[in-house]
Amino acid sequence: MAITKEKNAAPESASWINGLSSIIRLTDTKIEPSLKTVISSDVKNGKLALFVPPEMSELQPENLRYLHAMASQNDCILIEDRRTSDIRPLVEQRDLKPHKLAKGICELLKQTGMPGAQPQLSSPHRLTPGNPHIQVPVLIDMASTTISKSKRIGLLPNPTLVESTGNETHPINGFACKLVTAEANTILSFFDSPGFKAIGYLANDQYVVHVFIGGGPLRSPHIWANFQAMQKNRFRFQLFRSTQPGQDFGLLYNTFYIDIDVANAADSRSAGVNAT
């Protein structure tokens, strides 16, 4: 494991998260349930295929319009999952077990110095009732606000993370800080490399991590992860509406809930990248 000494915020990392936060602030972040959906992915005929739920044209036309733009911009195929008497839904035919990326993130948290036993994916895989839930746009804003004050270390991705992100071997910039506000009291982490971008926070005895797959404005949506990392994967899609034509903003991301040794984490006031 290679970890560099603490440094100031990397300009490219600060620029990315600050830019993302600035754009989302221009949209309506009061998300309606109709503007969320779950997408699965695979490779079909040598191209990345995005499988969307049926009847999106009637139930979620704005979402579908964005995903068509995403597919066109990134040379993907958009396929609607359909149930027939002869063919099971495509989403049921594919093996959509928890992605290997989850294990890589657990190992990454241990790499950063998280105390206690090796973190493990929560079972059942969900936020435990009573643990704080922070909306994704709020987390992005928090990361943007605190990155210049956060501690930073550089890490080399572990082998599991390299494999699960499509052989992404670039060093990872890790940032973390203890955040105490009227709305939150947590440890906030931000990880950034060319093929891996994630935000996480401490939720009592769990660590919640959102790994960003892609996004951007309707006029120019991009996939940020390597295509290889999206094979047999499943992720959330969230659309933020704008009053300006063509300015709707989408985010595609995976969410992982990870059990941690909360006693040791609290004692050392450390999580993510040893921030205090």
Side-chain angles (χ1 to χ4, degrees):
M1 176 182 68
I3 301 179
T4 67
K5 63 182 181 180
E6 294 174 2
K7 304 175 182 178
N8 294 328
E12 63 275 12
S13 296
S15 177
W16 189 86
I17 193 65
N18 289 339
L20 184 62
S21 177
S22 296
I23 294 174
I24 290 183
R25 285 188 193 128
L26 299 176
T27 65
D28 183 3
T29 56
K30 296 177 181 178
I31 308 303
E32 300 175 12
S34 61
L35 298 182
K36 297 179 183 179
T37 192
V38 176
I39 301 170
S40 57
S41 62
D42 208 336
V43 174
K44 188 176 181 65
N45 299 327
K47 287 190 174 185
L48 178 67
L50 303 178
F51 295 85
V52 302
E55 301 179 356
M56 280 194 73
S57 58
E58 293 82 16
L59 301 178
Q60 298 176 320
E62 298 91 352
N63 284 26
L64 186 60
R65 179 175 67 151
Y66 184 94
L67 292 171
H68 272 297
M70 171 71 77
S72 176
Q73 180 79 16
N74 296 275
D75 194 28
C76 302
I77 304 171
L78 204 64
I79 300 175
E80 182 177 346
D81 275 332
R82 296 181 180 274
R83 182 182 297 274
T84 70
S85 57
D86 300 319
I87 304 176
R88 290 181 301 158
L90 291 172
V91 71
E92 293 180 5
Q93 295 181 37
R94 294 186 303 279
D95 179 14
L96 291 175
K97 297 178 181 178
H99 200 273
K100 191 177 295 184
L101 178 59
K103 182 180 178 183
I105 292 172
C106 289
E107 294 175 4
L108 179 67
L109 292 176
K110 193 62 178 177
Q111 272 182 266
T112 61
M114 179 174 282
Q118 172 79 31
Q120 300 291 330
L121 198 66
S122 298
S123 181
H125 187 240
R126 58 178 173 80
L127 188 67
T128 300
N131 284 350
H133 170 68
I134 304 177
Q135 293 279 3
V136 171
V138 176
L139 277 175
I140 291 171
D141 193 49
M142 287 177 173
S144 173
T145 302
T146 61
I147 189 169
S148 63
K149 306 170 186 175
S150 297
K151 291 184 178 180
R152 173 198 166 202
I153 60 173
L155 308 101
L156 292 179
N158 58 69
T160 306
L161 199 61
V162 169
E163 182 181 355
S164 61
T165 55
N167 294 319
E168 171 57 52
T169 59
H170 288 88
I172 298 172
N173 290 315
F175 307 85
C177 69
K178 184 173 178 61
L179 185 65
V180 180
T181 68
E183 295 77 25
N185 184 348
T186 185
I187 303 289
L188 181 69
S189 300
F190 172 50
F191 298 97
D192 178 40
S193 75
F196 178 73
K197 302 180 186 300
I199 295 178
Y201 72 97
L202 183 65
N204 294 333
D205 59 350
Q206 290 179 295
Y207 211 78
V208 182
V209 181
H210 302 291
V211 180
F212 298 109
I213 305 296
L218 176 62
R219 67 179 183 277
S220 183
H222 292 282
I223 292 177
W224 301 320
N226 290 337
F227 280 10
Q228 300 97 310
M230 299 180 68
Q231 296 182 31
K232 298 187 183 301
N233 203 349
R234 178 168 47 199
F235 44 88
R236 299 179 184 184
F237 170 62
Q238 198 163 328
L239 186 66
F240 304 87
R241 299 299 303 278
S242 173
T243 57
Q244 302 297 319
Q247 296 298 314
D248 287 358
F249 191 91
L251 276 180
L252 292 81
Y253 58 95
N254 276 324
T255 299
F256 299 106
Y257 303 100
I258 297 169
D259 291 335
I260 61 170
D261 187 338
V262 67
N264 281 320
D267 288 344
S268 64
R269 293 177 175 271
S270 178
V273 287
N274 283 342
T276 58

